[in-house]
Amino acid sequence: MLGFHFGVAPFAGGFVGVDIFFVISGYLMTGIVLGRLERGTFTIGGFYLDRARRIVPALAVLLAAMLVLGAFILLPDEYALLARQAGSSALFVSNIHHWRETGYFDPGLDQKWLLHSWTLSLEWQFYLLYPLLLPLVVRFVPAARIRLVLAAAAFLSFAVMIALSRIAPAAGFYLLPPRGWELLAGGLVYLTPALAGRNARLAQVAGLALIAGSLLLTGEERWPNGWALAPVAGTMLVILAARTGSRITGNPFAARIGLDSYSIYLWHWPIVVALRRSGHSGEWPWIAGGIAAALLLGHLSWRFVERRANPRTAAPHIAVGRSAGSWRSGAAYLVPTLALLLASLAVWRTHGLPQRFPEAIQATVRDSLPKPVAGAEACYSTARFPRAACRIGPAQAPVRATLLGDSHADAQLVGLIEAIPAPFHGAVAFNALAGCPPMLEVSALDRRNRCGAFGARFLAPFAKPRQAPLILAASWAAYERKSAFGLAGEGSANGAAGSYHAGLFRSFCTLAAAGPTYAVLPTPYFPYPVTRELQRRLIADAKAPDLAIPRAAHEARNRAVVTVLRQAERRCGLRLLDPTPHLCGAGACWGSIAHRPLYRDQHHLTDGGARLLAPMFRHVFEREAGGPAIGARASNAPDGA
């Protein structure tokens, strides 16, 4: 796994190390539970306390070290991200955290210092359930059929994994139900008599061959999938061989790595992230140094943390030991966990402790935080869409305009509110869902069909005759590269972009024919997170120039989708709102003005940036004040589609 994470080419399939680890973990846990049941020493509390003794101390040291280090090297938003990861790791829910984070707003790997902790969280969740369920199986199922029960549970989990690998690979990767079969496979090995003699040697060779083949040949895409059987079966065979005296698995070097393996795993990933951030991730001297540092830190952690926390055993990460004793000793693990949670919460709630920096940096942090709009708190979601339409204004007032879209619509809402004329006798409706284009016909974009459901609930009603204007705002160009929209013609020679453009044109024409419909043209997209880059430059030079990109780059990136929008304007009566004159000059688009960021990240406007669009949105109210004009019907496909 180290070779894979550090980018050593021969280990392209090194991610299967997680699958191998889960099998070993399931084997050892089954041995602990069944062994103690046979001796009459099994208790739930003792089991949990032993697991805490093995996992918590070294993990707590890592989390504390990262929080301390982050205070010196990370910018505010980076530090806040680290704090969220540390908190979820301490609670052993980081697998759920990273699964929910996957998608539109997924931070880059250079911000995921604790990504690897997801395996510990999944493992701990297994620990919580397994000692509760396995004793029940032992009690109520004949001994000869216990293995059959575990096999049936493993088969169900395997089936869930296969299904999710096709429809929701992130869930299949991070969550316990689709990964449980690997842990249960280890339990099945424990319940199977070990091999001996020639059979043991053959099993070990076959198992190592399967593992080696997986390391060298397995593809990472949509993992785990059916090919995960290879490393799992290989690990099962090696364990069944039980050749502790083998030169391959029983030599002193393998034993040393086995002792240090848990701590090596903990420390290696932050080193990988540090190499990525420094730009040295592909350079052999740095890779070698990183691996050496991981081995050294892992050994030091084993010697001074793990061994002191577990003086009775020098076994690898998950050892079979006696019950820890009383719940009183659990405070030794509860207290540092609570301390880490409180520290993480403090960093997160303060948005990364910007007080560590000069006032100019603190001002950029304040600018980057969206201020809540009264009445719109529940109108935007990054996950499930709200069940009811949101309105901003008096409860009984008629809706004078509606803004729908994705996260760009949410970012631009402040500009629309700023444009509302005074006096204004009415309300503004608003709903937005991250990662979903506001267009008709979308039937399936992800695992929950959330985009299609959002469109059916909030956008489809506007395809009927109406008077009030509809405003659509989205990161239009971002969806050109996505497939699985469920659009007519998808998968044809035109590809995903062609079907998306055609579907977008049809949607605009249908909506414009029903009533006044506006579309906000794309806003600029920066090659870096604007607020973060501005902070870096101001730290290096308090008088650094403001950020900007060539206007030509903005126009080139959005040329194809803008062509579709202008065709819909020309042929269907769609009305366009152009933010470019308000965010760009003659030759450049601004990322900041007077050292105040206009974007929170690469493309979402800050509240200050959104207020620059108020004159653009004001045209909607001015134009509609004299009475709406109904868009003309037109053909159903853009030119060239």
Side-chain angles (χ1 to χ4, degrees):
M1 187 178 295
L2 259 68
F4 168 65
H5 284 160
F6 277 99
V8 181
F11 300 101
F15 53 87
V16 303
V18 170
D19 308 271
I20 295 169
F21 170 74
F22 285 155
V23 177
I24 298 172
S25 179
Y27 171 80
L28 294 171
M29 289 308 99
T30 304
I32 291 174
V33 175
L34 295 183
R36 292 181 183 179
L37 285 173
E38 291 173 1
R39 295 190 300 269
T41 60
F42 176 79
T43 65
I44 296 294
F47 179 89
Y48 290 158
L49 207 52
D50 273 355
R51 305 288 63 76
R53 176 184 287 110
R54 294 302 302 163
I55 292 179
V56 171
L59 176 63
V61 169
L62 171 73
L63 298 182
M66 293 305 301
L67 287 174
V68 171
L69 182 63
F72 291 96
I73 68 170
L74 297 182
L75 294 170
D77 68 316
E78 297 176 318
Y79 199 28
L81 284 172
L82 173 64
R84 288 184 63 187
Q85 295 169 31
S88 65
S89 299
L91 287 173
F92 293 106
V93 293
S94 65
N95 61 324
I96 298 174
H97 167 77
H98 290 296
W99 166 60
R100 291 177 62 86
E101 205 174 48
T102 301
Y104 197 54
F105 293 100
D106 192 6
L109 285 179
D110 64 336
Q111 302 299 328
K112 294 186 175 184
W113 292 94
L114 299 171
L115 174 63
H116 63 318
S117 67
W118 75 268
T119 60
L120 303 179
S121 296
L122 187 146
E123 186 183 32
W124 189 262
Q125 292 155 20
F126 178 74
Y127 294 168
L128 291 177
L129 295 175
Y130 201 52
L132 298 176
L133 300 178
L134 186 56
L136 294 177
V137 174
V138 171
R139 181 175 180 180
F140 295 106
V141 176
R145 296 189 177 182
I146 292 177
R147 192 163 44 170
L148 181 61
V149 172
L150 292 187
F155 177 79
L156 289 175
S157 173
F158 182 82
V160 171
M161 180 207 69
I162 293 297
L164 290 178
S165 69
R166 298 173 180 173
I167 62 175
F173 185 86
Y174 284 116
L175 301 184
L176 177 59
R179 286 284 194 170
W181 71 277
E182 298 176 324
L183 292 137
L184 292 172
L188 289 171
V189 174
Y190 183 84
L191 294 169
T192 302
L195 301 174
R198 185 170 180 270
N199 290 336
R201 289 192 294 272
L202 290 175
Q204 184 187 52
V205 171
L208 292 174
L210 283 171
I211 292 173
S214 301
L215 292 172
L216 298 174
L217 304 175
T218 304
E220 188 178 2
E221 186 177 359
R222 292 183 178 271
W223 189 267
N225 50 44
W227 289 105
L229 283 170
V232 170
T235 307
M236 294 173 72
L237 288 172
V238 171
I239 297 174
L240 279 174
R243 301 192 69 220
T244 56
S246 168
R247 294 181 180 179
I248 300 175
T249 58
N251 62 76
F253 177 75
R256 180 73 265 165
I257 294 297
L259 288 173
D260 296 346
S261 60
Y262 173 46
S263 286
I264 292 172
Y265 180 77
L266 287 178
W267 284 98
H268 88 284
W269 181 254
I271 297 172
V272 171
V273 174
L275 291 182
R276 286 178 178 272
R277 289 171 62 92
S278 66
H280 297 301
S281 59
E283 302 173 15
W284 272 104
W286 288 90
I287 291 174
I291 293 175
L295 295 175
L296 175 60
L297 289 172
H299 178 68
L300 293 175
S301 175
W302 172 83
R303 181 174 180 180
F304 294 107
V305 181
E306 285 192 77
R307 194 167 65 169
R308 292 190 179 188
N310 301 271
R312 293 182 292 103
T313 178
H317 164 37
I318 307 173
V320 179
R322 293 184 292 109
S323 174
S326 69
W327 280 102
R328 183 177 301 176
S329 60
Y333 309 106
L334 183 61
V335 170
T337 299
L338 288 176
L340 285 167
L341 288 174
L342 290 174
S344 300
L345 181 63
V347 174
W348 178 65
R349 290 296 298 270
T350 59
H351 307 290
L353 292 177
Q355 297 82 357
R356 298 172 291 141
F357 298 95
E359 171 57 29
I361 305 300
Q362 297 182 45
T364 64
V365 174
R366 292 192 295 270
D367 291 341
S368 67
L369 301 175
K371 310 301 185 296
V373 176
E377 294 85 353
C379 305
Y380 167 68
S381 174
T382 60
R384 297 182 181 275
F385 62 87
R387 296 296 178 184
C390 294
R391 52 191 297 136
I392 303 164
Q396 304 302 321
V399 173
R400 300 298 187 186
T402 298
L403 173 64
L404 295 177
D406 61 8
S407 57
H408 277 217
D410 177 65
Q412 296 172 23
L413 176 63
V414 171
L416 177 64
I417 300 302
E418 191 87 1
I420 294 177
F424 183 68
H425 304 292
V428 171
F430 166 69
N431 282 104
L433 183 61
C436 291
M439 58 185 292
L440 303 171
E441 302 182 26
V442 174
S443 62
L445 185 59
D446 66 6
R447 60 184 178 273
R448 291 189 295 262
N449 188 24
R450 52 199 285 273
C451 296
F454 178 82
R457 172 67 180 84
F458 297 107
L459 186 61
F462 288 91
K464 300 176 182 178
R466 54 186 163 80
Q467 299 297 313
L470 169 66
I471 306 170
L472 304 174
S475 179
W476 303 113
Y479 304 105
E480 292 176 329
R481 293 174 292 279
K482 292 185 178 181
S483 59
F485 278 84
L487 297 171
E490 191 155 293
S492 64
N494 288 331
S499 61
Y500 167 63
H501 289 159
L504 195 62
F505 181 88
R506 291 192 298 268
S507 179
F508 285 144
C509 288
T510 299
L511 294 169
T517 301
Y518 295 79
V520 180
L521 290 172
T523 53
Y525 188 102
F526 282 73
Y528 44 74
V530 171
T531 297
R532 192 181 302 159
E533 182 64 21
L534 179 61
Q535 291 170 348
R536 287 197 180 106
R537 297 192 184 189
L538 289 177
I539 290 172
D541 179 7
K543 297 181 180 180
D546 279 305
L547 304 178
I549 59 171
R551 180 167 174 164
H554 160 59
E555 293 172 346
R557 181 181 187 275
N558 296 289
R559 183 169 290 117
V561 75
V562 168
T563 299
V564 175
L565 269 69
R566 294 208 178 277
Q567 288 172 349
E569 176 190 37
R570 186 171 61 252
R571 298 172 58 182
C572 306
L574 178 70
R575 302 170 184 179
L576 299 182
L577 300 172
D578 191 359
T580 304
H582 308 281
L583 300 174
C584 305
C589 294
W590 313 299
S592 62
I593 297 177
H595 291 168
R596 308 304 288 266
L598 302 186
Y599 299 85
R600 301 196 304 268
D601 47 26
Q602 292 178 274
H603 51 100
H604 292 94
L605 290 167
T606 62
D607 287 354
R611 290 190 179 94
L612 296 179
L613 302 186
M616 177 190 77
F617 285 116
R618 197 167 292 126
H619 289 306
V620 176
F621 296 103
E622 293 172 351
R623 182 169 185 173
E624 300 307 324
I630 306 299
R633 296 185 180 274
S635 63
N636 290 325
D639 296 340

